[in-house]
Amino acid sequence: MFRAKITGISGYVPEYILNNEELSTIVDTNDEWIVTRTGIKERRILKEGGTSVMCVKAIEELLAKTNTKPEEVDLVVVTTVTPDWPVPATANIICQKLGMTKAWGFDTQAACSGFIFTLEAVSKMVESGKYKKAILVGADKMSSITNYTDRNTCILFGDGAGAIMLEPTTDMEYGVIDCQCYMDGSGIENLNVKRGRSEYPLTKDTIDLNEQYIYQDGKKVFVKAVKGMADVVEEVMKRNHLSSENLNWLVPHQANKRIIDATADRAGLSEDKVMLNIQKFGNTTNATIPLCLWDYEKKLKKGDNLILCAFGAGYTWGAVYVKWGI
Ligand code: COA
C-alpha cells in the first residue's frame, strides 16, 4: 500500500504585470470596481510563447528543489484549458524541452477544477507504486483566450503555472488523503468558448464576433460557485473529521475573493487560514491552487491539514484533503 506524497512545489508567473489602472485604459472599468467585486489588483501576462513556456520554468524549479534529474521523472501530466497546440499534448512538448526521456504523460481538461480532478487521478496512479516521480503541472495562458474589449471577463484572468512532485510512500500519514469531485453539465451555456471547436470550427464570421474567446455569465456562475465550493469542502471536512480548529489551510481556486470568503465562512475559517493570491495574479485557471501552495510554502509545516478546492466551467467542482509532509 502506498500513499501519494507531495514532495515538491514550484511556480512561475510571467514578468509583465497588467494592473487595474492599465486595464482601465483598455476597457470601461476602474480599480475600485475590480477590487471591490473581485479582489484583483493585477495579473501577469505572458508576452511570447505558449503555456509550455511557463510549465517548463515551473518544472525546472521543481527539479532543482527536489534534486531530480529529468530522466528520473516517469510521469508528466499537464492540466490546462490553453494547450500550446490542440494536437499534440503540451505534456509531450514539455518532455521534449526538458529532456525527460523516460517519462510519458498527457493533458487533462476540467476547466478551473482541473488541478483538483487531475490530482485525484495522478495520486491514484502514484498510489499503485508504479510511478516513482510524477509531476502534475497546472498552467494556463488565459490571455490567449481573453477578449480585452469584454470587461466582464478581461478583468478576471491572468497567466501562470504551478507544479508539484508526487512520490509513493509507505508512510500513510502524509500525502493526498481524500478527494471528492463532481460535474453536472448544467453550466455549459454560462461559461465557455463558443467557437473554434469540433462542432463549430473557426470561421471568419465567428472571429469577427470574437467568439474564439472565453464567455461568462458571471452572476449565474457566481451563485453556483459559492454553493458548490462550500458544499464540497464541508463534505470532505466532515468525512475526515476536520474542523475549523484542526484544519490549518484552505487552498481555494482564485476566481473571486467574494467566493473565497463565502467558502471560508461556511467552513468557519478565519482569514489567516485561507491562502490568497488573487490580488496579484487574478484567475490563472489551472494554476491558481499550485501557485497558492508555492506562494505560502514557507508558512506550511509538516503535518498541516490542507483542503484544496475549486469550482469551474461545466460545472465542475471538487475538494482534496492533503496532509502536508515536507
Ligand atoms: N467594470 C465596471 N463595471 C462593471 C464591470 C467592470 N469590469 N463589469 C460589470 N460592470 C457593471 C455592470 O454593467 C453592472 O452595472 P449595472 O448594475 O448598471 O447593470 C454592475 O457592474 C454589476 O455587474 P455584475 O455582472 O452583476 O457584477 P458581479 O458583481 O456579478 O461581478 C463577476 C461580476 C464576473 C466579477 C462575478 O459575477 C464573478 O466573479 N462570477 C463568478 C466567477 C467564477 O467563479 N467563475 C468560475 C470559475 S472560473
Side-chain angles (χ1 to χ4, degrees):
M1 281 262 287
F2 295 100
R3 182 78 86 195
K5 183 175 160 184
I6 297 174
T7 55
I9 174 83
S10 67
Y12 175 79
V13 288
E15 271 172 37
Y16 187 81
I17 298 173
L18 176 57
N19 62 26
N20 289 348
E21 285 71 26
E22 186 181 348
L23 206 48
S24 307
T25 66
I26 305 170
V27 279
D28 180 17
T29 189
N30 58 77
D31 177 61
E32 201 250 323
W33 192 96
I34 302 173
V35 172
T36 313
R37 301 288 181 123
T38 71
I40 301 167
K41 283 291 290 177
E42 54 191 43
R43 64 290 292 141
R44 301 299 180 104
I45 306 293
L46 184 70
K47 290 286 190 185
E48 270 178 41
T51 296
S52 72
V53 169
M54 299 182 290
C55 296
V56 164
K57 297 263 191 202
I59 294 172
E60 277 172 347
E61 182 195 326
L62 187 67
L63 295 177
K65 278 168 86 171
T66 57
N67 211 10
T68 305
K69 295 189 190 77
E71 57 274 20
E72 289 178 280
V73 177
D74 39 30
L75 182 67
V76 182
V77 181
V78 183
T79 182
T80 185
V81 300
T82 52
D84 277 25
W85 302 62
V87 181
T90 307
N92 205 313
I93 295 163
I94 292 167
C95 278
Q96 192 266 334
K97 283 185 177 174
L98 287 169
M100 294 179 179
T101 49
K102 305 273 168 48
W104 71 284
F106 45 87
D107 294 3
T108 67
Q109 209 272 60
C112 290
S113 303
F115 194 81
I116 297 290
F117 281 28
T118 314
L119 181 54
E120 164 76 340
V122 173
S123 61
K124 289 289 170 287
M125 293 175 79
V126 172
E127 281 170 22
S128 76
K130 185 170 179 186
Y131 302 101
K132 310 291 183 226
K133 286 184 181 288
I135 292 176
L136 166 58
V137 52
D140 272 300
K141 184 182 173 182
M142 292 306 291
S143 60
S144 68
I145 56 165
T146 298
N147 175 1
Y148 287 93
T149 64
D150 175 11
R151 69 176 183 173
N152 293 310
T153 51
C154 74
I155 58 158
L156 300 171
F157 296 106
D159 303 339
I164 58 172
M165 180 78 78
L166 288 149
E167 297 180 46
T169 171
T170 50
D171 179 354
M172 301 305 278
E173 200 179 336
Y174 303 106
V176 181
I177 311 276
D178 192 17
C179 175
Q180 187 65 49
C181 296
Y182 293 103
M183 69 200 306
D184 66 3
S186 70
I188 291 166
E189 295 304 324
N190 300 330
L191 180 48
N192 55 45
V193 175
K194 296 198 184 310
R195 297 293 184 266
R197 57 195 180 89
S198 59
E199 197 179 2
Y200 295 108
L202 273 186
T203 64
K204 190 176 171 309
D205 290 347
T206 57
I207 290 174
D208 289 346
L209 291 169
N210 281 328
E211 287 184 336
Q212 70 276 34
Y213 295 123
I214 197 156
Y215 160 84
Q216 175 172 240
D217 183 333
K219 255 195 191 340
K220 287 190 180 148
V221 178
F222 188 94
V223 174
K224 290 283 184 183
V226 167
K227 182 162 166 41
M229 285 238 293
D231 282 354
V232 76
V233 166
E234 187 176 48
E235 184 179 349
V236 175
M237 280 178 70
K238 265 197 186 146
R239 198 156 73 200
N240 293 282
H241 313 290
L242 294 167
S243 66
S244 54
E245 279 83 46
N246 63 5
L247 182 66
N248 302 92
W249 292 102
L250 183 72
V251 193
H253 171 54
Q254 311 278 305
N256 186 315
K257 179 152 188 308
R258 290 185 290 140
I259 298 173
I260 296 169
D261 290 346
T263 307
D265 278 355
R266 265 275 297 277
L269 295 169
S270 52
E271 265 191 10
D272 58 335
K273 288 190 167 189
V274 183
M275 292 193 188
L276 199 71
N277 61 18
I278 191 170
Q279 68 283 6
K280 46 185 185 173
F281 302 147
N283 181 353
T284 52
T285 303
N286 283 290
T288 64
I289 291 172
L291 280 177
C292 273
L293 292 172
W294 176 60
D295 237 8
Y296 281 74
E297 192 181 6
K298 287 202 172 71
K299 293 192 178 178
L300 286 167
K301 290 195 286 296
K302 192 168 184 176
D304 276 356
N305 291 315
L306 278 63
I307 293 278
L308 287 46
C309 60
F311 186 91
Y315 299 114
T316 55
W317 65 106
V320 174
Y321 168 34
V322 171
K323 199 175 234 332
W324 197 250
I326 304 178

